[in-house]
Amino acid sequence: MRFVVIGAGMAGVLSGIRLRQAGYEDWTIYEKGDSVGGTWRENTYPGLSCDVPSHIYSYAFEPNPDWSHRFAPGAEIRAYFEGVARKYGVLPQIRFKEEVERLEFRGGRWQIAFKSGRRDEADVVIAATGVLHHPMIPDIEGLESFAGACFPRARWDHSAAVDGKRVGVIGTGSTAIQITSALVPRVRKFSLFQRTPQWIAPQENAAFTEAEKAGFRGDRAGFRKMADELTRNFHETFSNGVVDAKSEQMKNLEAICRANLESSVADPVLREKLRPNYRAACKRLIMSGDFYPAIQQPNAELVTDAIERIEPRGVRTKDGRLHELDVLVLATGFRVDQFLRPMRVLGRDGVDLEDVWKHRPDAYLSISIPNFPNLFMLNGPNGPVGNFSLITIADMQLHYVLQLVEELRAGRGREISASESAMARFSEEFDRAARNTIWATGCKSWYLDSRGVPAVWPFTYQRFTEEMAKPDLAAYDLRG
Ligand code: N01
């Protein structure tokens, strides 16, 4: 059987490793960029780090005792993925600078066409294309007229000087908060344009000492135990709480965030500007130990007046004030409903994914789409993107996908995809559960789909592990 994996980020590299371990040698990973790392290659903004502890944001089979910090910086994470890809011999099977343009299921196989003109064929396609990938460019009047450097956070322009300059950031998501902490000490004037305040949980990020790293290296069993405890703790205090808005975990989290705001922000006027009017973790929770100190520095300003337009010299707010800037960063998030798109994907009998997903993207258990046989998504629509480590998710999903592929290898059929009835049942149950989650408690966030229903796994971590342990083949249409 021949496999094509799309994307050489965390999940694509993992796919290569797991395919080889399962005994498959005929596979190629296609990557439109020029190196591995996905989001960790694309994002290079100042202050970038992962807010999942690095010891659990690692492949289970490749623990890293050398993480510099509890929450490692982005460049270190990218280097880790590259190192793993090299160590496991994945690099020679990646074709870089090859962007898939079209996938068509014809004659029982996937026909793959690339922007470069290259063509390929595969029995199975694994899409590891990521979620937070296509920057959302805000529709603000005059954006193109800005005379200084202006770029979205995922396309940081390192040729634009920021030290000693006047820098503005639009947005208050995880990204903007990290950029604020990193840039305030470097710039002359920092303006943060806030449309909605965020709850912020405190987070310390100590560097590991050499002695601690030596300890991790010397005691593999103890190291593993620590990672397992971190995982268990994360699931108990967070993952299983977010899916029940009434849970004790969510009440505790809210108390922690409120206490953080009260104790960290001295000026009562600023404190009120920073106080959200929705529940903690309704939007994706932000963790930071240095944002509140940064925004209180004399060279930092939290701008809460709405943006009227962008002018050549800066941002004009509705109160008539012009905030003069040298650099403007758009930390305005991503288009999260794209997944495989903008690829054109044609399934069985020419069914077009664009039509199937015209209202919103959907997939059975976030992996398989009816009538798109032998096409599997990692971190696809409605998956647990907000609640667990994406690495754990992708690994469990691969374990599941490889069991579906086993049906093909064993000759029990040639085409497998979720049945339409299983998809409909899953969507109905999903929607019902989604309404009980913290994400549905009355805020606006990227978790909500076009109907305003949270599009994130609304069940417990336990349920996810059970679902991923063994596919229910009755939910699948296996033919040929
Ligand atoms: O984007 P966001 P992000 N005018 O969508 C504002 C992951 N991540 O890139 O809240 C003015 O969260 C918008 O305002 P509002 C993580 O999963 C992880 O920061 O809609 N403002 C909001 O404040 C995260 O959730 C890490 O009112 C406008 C902001 O832009 C996800 O990436 C680090 C606007 C967008 O926030 C996305 O985070 C960083 C407009 N026209 C990110 N349009 C880790 O540590 C939008 N906004 C792992």
Side-chain angles (χ1 to χ4, degrees):
M1 251 187 293
R2 170 152 177 77
F3 296 77
V4 156
V5 178
I6 308 176
M10 170 279 290
V13 168
L14 181 63
S15 302
I17 295 170
R18 292 301 193 203
L19 283 170
R20 182 168 293 144
Q21 287 172 346
Y24 299 106
E25 280 303 333
D26 188 3
W27 50 268
T28 303
I29 302 176
Y30 287 103
E31 164 58 53
K32 69 179 174 180
D34 58 4
S35 58
V36 302
T39 196
W40 301 104
R41 181 199 61 223
E42 303 218 330
N43 285 282
T44 57
Y45 62 80
L48 171 67
S49 69
C50 181
D51 58 12
V52 176
S54 299
H55 285 142
I56 57 176
Y57 193 77
S58 309
Y59 296 125
F61 53 86
E62 195 59 34
N64 177 18
D66 293 316
W67 291 119
S68 67
H69 289 74
R70 193 172 145 77
F71 302 96
E76 216 177 295
I77 298 171
R78 196 203 61 73
Y80 167 81
F81 288 125
E82 180 138 351
V84 174
R86 183 168 299 111
K87 177 173 171 182
Y88 285 80
V90 176
L91 290 179
Q93 281 178 249
I94 305 178
R95 298 284 163 273
F96 291 107
K97 293 189 173 170
E98 287 289 3
E99 181 169 353
V100 177
E101 203 166 49
R102 186 183 162 97
L103 285 175
E104 184 174 0
F105 193 73
R106 197 163 12 96
R109 294 192 102 195
W110 283 101
Q111 311 293 325
I112 304 148
F114 297 81
K115 249 191 179 143
S116 63
R118 179 196 276 263
R119 291 185 174 273
D120 199 348
E121 279 187 28
D123 300 291
V124 175
V125 171
I126 297 177
T129 45
V131 189
L132 300 162
H133 181 56
H134 301 281
M136 172 85 86
I137 305 299
D139 184 16
I140 303 177
E141 188 194 326
L143 190 58
E144 292 76 34
S145 72
F146 183 61
C150 176
F151 43 85
R153 57 88 126 175
R155 308 274 182 277
W156 194 273
D157 178 357
H158 290 278
S159 70
V162 291
D163 292 282
K165 302 287 182 192
R166 299 163 303 178
V167 177
V169 172
I170 301 180
T172 49
S174 307
T175 306
I177 298 308
Q178 291 183 336
I179 295 173
T180 302
S181 307
L183 284 192
V184 167
R186 293 173 52 186
V187 304
R188 173 149 61 98
K189 168 88 188 154
F190 186 88
S191 308
L192 181 64
F193 296 91
Q194 169 185 286
R195 187 164 68 181
T196 313
Q198 290 271 10
W199 284 115
I200 296 180
Q203 183 185 67
E204 294 310 318
N205 189 14
F208 289 116
T209 63
E210 287 312 312
E212 282 173 312
K213 290 186 213 168
F216 296 145
R217 271 193 294 275
D219 177 13
R220 285 286 165 154
F223 182 49
R224 187 69 254 158
K225 195 162 157 252
M226 178 195 70
D228 289 347
E229 264 164 33
L230 274 172
T231 306
R232 205 170 28 252
N233 190 27
F234 184 64
H235 294 152
E236 279 168 13
T237 58
F238 189 75
S239 312
N240 291 342
V242 282
V243 294
D244 175 6
K246 298 195 186 87
S247 64
E248 279 307 306
Q249 294 101 311
M250 289 301 98
K251 286 183 200 147
N252 291 341
L253 189 64
E254 202 153 304
I256 290 168
C257 292
R258 186 168 295 116
N260 190 31
L261 176 66
E262 305 297 348
S263 64
S264 309
V265 183
D267 173 5
V269 176
L270 179 64
R271 201 188 306 138
E272 290 321 301
K273 285 185 177 178
L274 288 166
R275 189 186 299 279
N277 64 358
Y278 54 87
R279 294 193 56 192
C282 179
K283 279 174 179 287
R284 206 276 197 174
L285 189 70
I286 294 181
M287 282 154 273
S288 173
D290 40 24
F291 170 71
Y292 285 146
I295 200 67
Q296 293 176 83
Q297 293 305 307
N299 66 330
E301 182 180 3
L302 180 76
V303 182
T304 53
D305 290 296
I307 296 172
E308 172 86 37
R309 63 179 173 272
I310 313 283
E311 298 181 4
R313 283 161 54 213
V315 174
R316 176 83 62 184
T317 41
K318 286 232 155 68
D319 58 350
R321 205 174 136 202
L322 175 66
H323 303 261
E324 293 198 48
L325 300 169
D326 302 304
V327 176
L328 179 60
V329 180
L330 309 173
T332 41
F334 294 89
R335 294 191 61 195
V336 295
D337 61 347
Q338 296 303 288
F339 297 97
L340 292 155
R341 298 178 282 192
M343 276 176 243
R344 180 95 194 271
V345 187
L346 302 173
R348 186 184 283 134
D349 303 326
V351 53
D352 192 332
L353 189 66
E354 199 53 47
D355 294 331
V356 177
W357 281 3
K358 74 172 175 279
H359 298 300
R360 61 184 182 283
D362 208 358
Y364 177 67
L365 290 176
S366 147
I367 287 175
S368 172
I369 314 161
N371 298 313
F372 290 80
N374 310 351
L375 168 65
F376 306 110
M377 279 177 290
L378 303 178
N379 288 310
N382 297 338
V385 61
N387 357 6
F388 330 141
S389 163
L390 284 184
I391 302 186
T392 316
I393 299 166
D395 213 1
M396 286 198 228
Q397 289 174 331
L398 270 169
H399 172 72
Y400 179 98
V401 165
L402 286 171
Q403 293 179 71
L404 296 177
V405 169
E406 184 54 34
E407 296 300 304
L408 310 178
R409 172 152 75 176
R412 286 189 277 274
R414 294 170 57 104
E415 300 178 9
I416 190 162
S417 54
S419 70
E420 298 200 44
S421 57
M423 179 76 245
R425 271 197 313 276
F426 175 70
S427 295
E428 202 185 300
E429 195 193 354
F430 186 102
D431 286 359
R432 225 174 316 121
R435 290 172 205 277
N436 298 326
T437 64
I438 193 75
W439 310 302
T441 53
C443 67
K444 198 174 124 234
S445 82
W446 65 262
Y447 287 152
L448 304 180
D449 68 16
S450 52
R451 304 163 303 168
V453 177
V456 181
W457 183 257
F459 311 110
T460 60
Y461 180 71
Q462 182 65 22
R463 163 98 186 249
F464 187 71
T465 52
E466 283 164 12
E467 293 278 9
M468 291 300 106
K470 199 170 176 12
D472 169 14
L473 290 175
Y476 281 85
D477 178 6
L478 178 62
R479 336 180 163 167

